[in-house]
Amino acid sequence: MQVDNLSWFPGHMTKTRRMIAAELGNVDAVCEIVDARIPLSSRNPEIDALTAGKPRLVVLNRVDQADPEATKRWAAWFRGQGCDVLEADAKNGAGVKQFAPAVRTLLREKIAAYEAKGQVGRVLRVMVLGIPNVGKSTFINKVSGRKTAKAEDRPGVTRSKQWVPVDKTLELLDTPGILWPKFEDASVGMRLAFTGAIRDEVVDIEELAMRLMDYLGRYYPEALSARYRIAAEPGEDGWALVEKAGRKRGFLIAGGEVDTERMSRILLDEFRGGKLGRFTLETPPEEEKGAGPEL
Ligand code: G4P
């Protein structure tokens, strides 16, 4: 599911917040799913406060689309924050089998305490949270073998909470409601738009493509030369690169000008479709100031 303006309806957030608070006492741990390409931008800014005190397993999902080196650094960063980490590609099933063992490792002390009280084989309950489009439904379906298509998470459409069994002693709480990203931050919004998490109707395609090109020109120039046969010169901005790529592809309009809108759409489609390669669009905070390069 993608995010649109409606999803950010404040009343809806309040509902989600309340629901998390109400259910937190019923779970042993929280599983936070993030998009490995944008591990910080795809987090809910209040998640730490909302789930305080609960052991956390962070699932870096979509690793098939992310830069493998960056994924290693992000996994280390999250571990440094006190979370356990599981790398996954829910679409193709990687990491899925490791989920239940990862939860049991996360909760080893709690399991030992249950066992000391004679509660051997007590069911562990995990609340699964994630902003739209990180792959939450796909992940839950894969780890549980659930076949049902998920109901749409939309304001006004009621969906009740669901306990989803994974095995005899592990259950997931699939939380209804939308967990919002940090949408007041423009760079976060841009990264969500690059990955397709925000509907294209609510963003300016050419601006988006220009910024993406800027990023790729700076950090992944080899991907641009491989795909578009263009060289990103030092200091060359994203707009110049969109024009260069469009010219190379022969996307011209009257007067020999480049059809930048067409090139912009193609760039975003190809980027999201994985045709340019695997990318991570932000770096862990201590490696660079802030959540990554300015966009
Ligand atoms: P959500 O519940 O978090 O909103 O996300 P959902 O599971 O609906 O997944 C959104 C899209 O992302 C789906 O694609 C899904 O297949 C894809 N996806 C989920 N996890 C991964 C992953 O680890 N890697 C990749 N490459 N894709 C993933 P879709 O285009 O909406 O549907 P479909 O084409 O898969 O049918």
Side-chain angles (χ1 to χ4, degrees), residues 1-2 61-65 88-92 130-139 150 153:
M1 198 193 77
Q2 293 171 310
N61 193 38
R62 297 183 175 275
V63 290
D64 56 307
Q65 297 175 300
D89 162 6
K91 188 166 181 165
N92 301 298
I131 70 160
N133 208 50
V134 291
K136 190 179 87 162
S137 295
T138 309
F139 188 80
K150 64 164 180 179
D153 284 319

Side-chain angles (χ1 to χ4, degrees), residues 55-251:
R56 177 108 46 101
L57 174 65
V58 170
V59 173
L60 284 170
N61 193 38
R62 297 183 175 275
V63 290
D64 56 307
Q65 297 175 300
D67 178 338
E69 282 304 311
T71 298
K72 276 190 211 148
R73 295 205 300 273
W74 274 111
W77 184 82
F78 277 105
R79 287 192 181 104
Q81 304 291 305
C83 305
D84 279 11
V85 177
L86 178 66
E87 296 173 20
D89 162 6
K91 188 166 181 165
N92 301 298
V96 165
K97 278 204 185 77
Q98 288 81 1
F99 176 73
V103 170
R104 293 192 170 99
T105 302
L106 176 75
L107 292 174
R108 59 194 176 282
E109 286 169 17
K110 207 161 188 183
I111 294 168
Y114 285 152
E115 287 177 356
K117 285 194 279 179
Q119 300 174 354
V120 177
R122 179 176 159 149
V123 175
L124 302 170
R125 298 199 166 87
V126 179
M127 179 186 283
V128 185
L129 298 173
I131 70 160
N133 208 50
V134 291
K136 190 179 87 162
S137 295
T138 309
F139 188 80
I140 292 177
N141 289 349
K142 274 274 160 62
V143 297
S144 66
R146 178 175 75 172
K147 300 238 160 32
T148 49
K150 64 164 180 179
E152 268 291 286
D153 284 319
R154 275 188 290 117
V157 177
T158 316
R159 186 163 76 90
S160 56
K161 64 171 186 184
Q162 272 187 330
W163 286 104
V164 186
V166 172
D167 58 36
K168 278 197 189 106
T169 58
L170 179 58
E171 279 182 6
L172 304 181
L173 178 61
D174 185 7
T175 44
I178 291 167
L179 208 62
W180 56 103
K182 193 176 177 189
F183 55 82
E184 66 277 11
D185 180 326
S187 297
V188 168
M190 201 55 79
R191 293 189 188 101
L192 290 165
F194 289 160
T195 62
I198 291 180
R199 282 183 214 287
D200 280 345
E201 294 87 80
V202 300
V203 290
D204 184 292
I205 287 292
E206 291 187 85
E207 159 122 19
L208 200 56
M210 176 189 82
R211 287 178 188 262
L212 180 59
M213 267 299 200
D214 213 50
Y215 188 91
L216 295 175
R218 251 189 291 169
Y219 294 93
Y220 297 99
E222 65 290 346
L224 296 182
S225 52
R227 182 78 197 169
Y228 301 115
R229 312 261 163 242
I230 57 169
E233 307 297 341
E236 197 167 24
D237 68 18
W239 190 241
L241 293 171
V242 169
E243 286 190 317
K244 241 181 181 175
R247 197 171 292 284
K248 206 72 181 193
R249 285 259 168 122
F251 297 160

